[in-house]
Amino acid sequence: MRNDVVVEAITAGDIRPLYPLVMATEPGLLWSQWDRYAKRLVRGGPRAKEGIVVARRRGHLMPCGAVCYRLDRDLRHGLMLTAEHFVAVDLLYPQAVLAALAAALDDIADRFGCAAIRSVLHDRDVTVAENLSIVGHSRDGLTLTKHRL
């Protein structure tokens, strides 16, 4: 089933159809926030140090998943890929979408020579965490956020 999922870099045509999917995982996200963020990453190009990869079922135009990534430097790991805002919307096989996104992250990490991939998840993303652990990701600490005005 994973072979039925194609993952590619985001294009300008993906921005609007992805918005409802992203809102499912980021409630309250304003269109203007998403539009500004995504357009900046579309302009980045293939060697950009951050981006969004989009999953869709083979032969379908509408996206069924996405994940944002960026390159970071880490004291312990050196160059690492940080992935966040995972979206996988598939009625029957969301795990296949997540597996395809995880494989794409591995490819990106290989392309840039990253020593590790860090996935940032919300506490409510239990299914995402379970599916990422199946493909080799493991818990490595805790992230705390202080929201500021």
Side-chain angles (χ1 to χ4, degrees):
M1 281 172 259
R2 189 171 117 195
N3 294 340
D4 291 342
V5 179
V6 177
V7 180
E8 304 167 316
I10 190 172
T11 66
D14 292 322
I15 295 173
R16 187 165 296 280
L18 271 174
Y19 179 59
L21 277 71
V22 173
M23 276 193 54
T25 61
E26 297 294 332
L29 181 70
L30 299 176
W31 163 252
S32 59
Q33 292 170 301
W34 167 248
D35 187 49
R36 190 171 43 252
Y37 180 79
K39 280 181 179 173
R40 183 177 56 80
L41 295 180
V42 166
R43 288 190 299 266
R47 294 296 298 169
K49 300 203 185 297
E50 60 182 343
I52 302 172
V53 288
V54 179
R56 56 179 53 84
R57 287 278 173 199
R58 189 176 307 283
H60 292 246
L61 296 175
M62 294 301 291
C64 60
V67 64
C68 304
Y69 68 88
R70 69 179 177 278
L71 292 177
D72 290 319
R73 290 254 171 225
D74 181 77
L75 176 64
R76 191 168 25 138
H77 300 291
L79 189 61
M80 74 178 328
L81 189 69
T82 299
E84 58 187 336
H85 309 296
F86 284 84
V87 178
V89 179
D90 188 279
L91 293 175
L92 299 176
Y93 305 108
Q95 66 276 14
V97 176
L98 283 168
L101 291 170
L105 292 172
D106 279 331
D107 291 344
I108 294 166
D110 286 345
R111 182 172 12 132
F112 286 104
C114 296
I117 299 172
R118 175 174 289 145
S119 298
V120 179
L121 306 174
H122 294 289
D123 287 333
R124 66 181 178 269
D125 293 336
V126 174
T127 304
V128 175
E130 290 170 352
N131 283 290
L132 288 175
S133 69
I134 291 170
V135 295
H137 295 239
S138 61
R139 189 175 182 102
D140 185 29
L142 175 67
T143 300
L144 301 174
T145 302
K146 179 179 180 180
H147 297 275
R148 299 180 42 114
L149 297 176

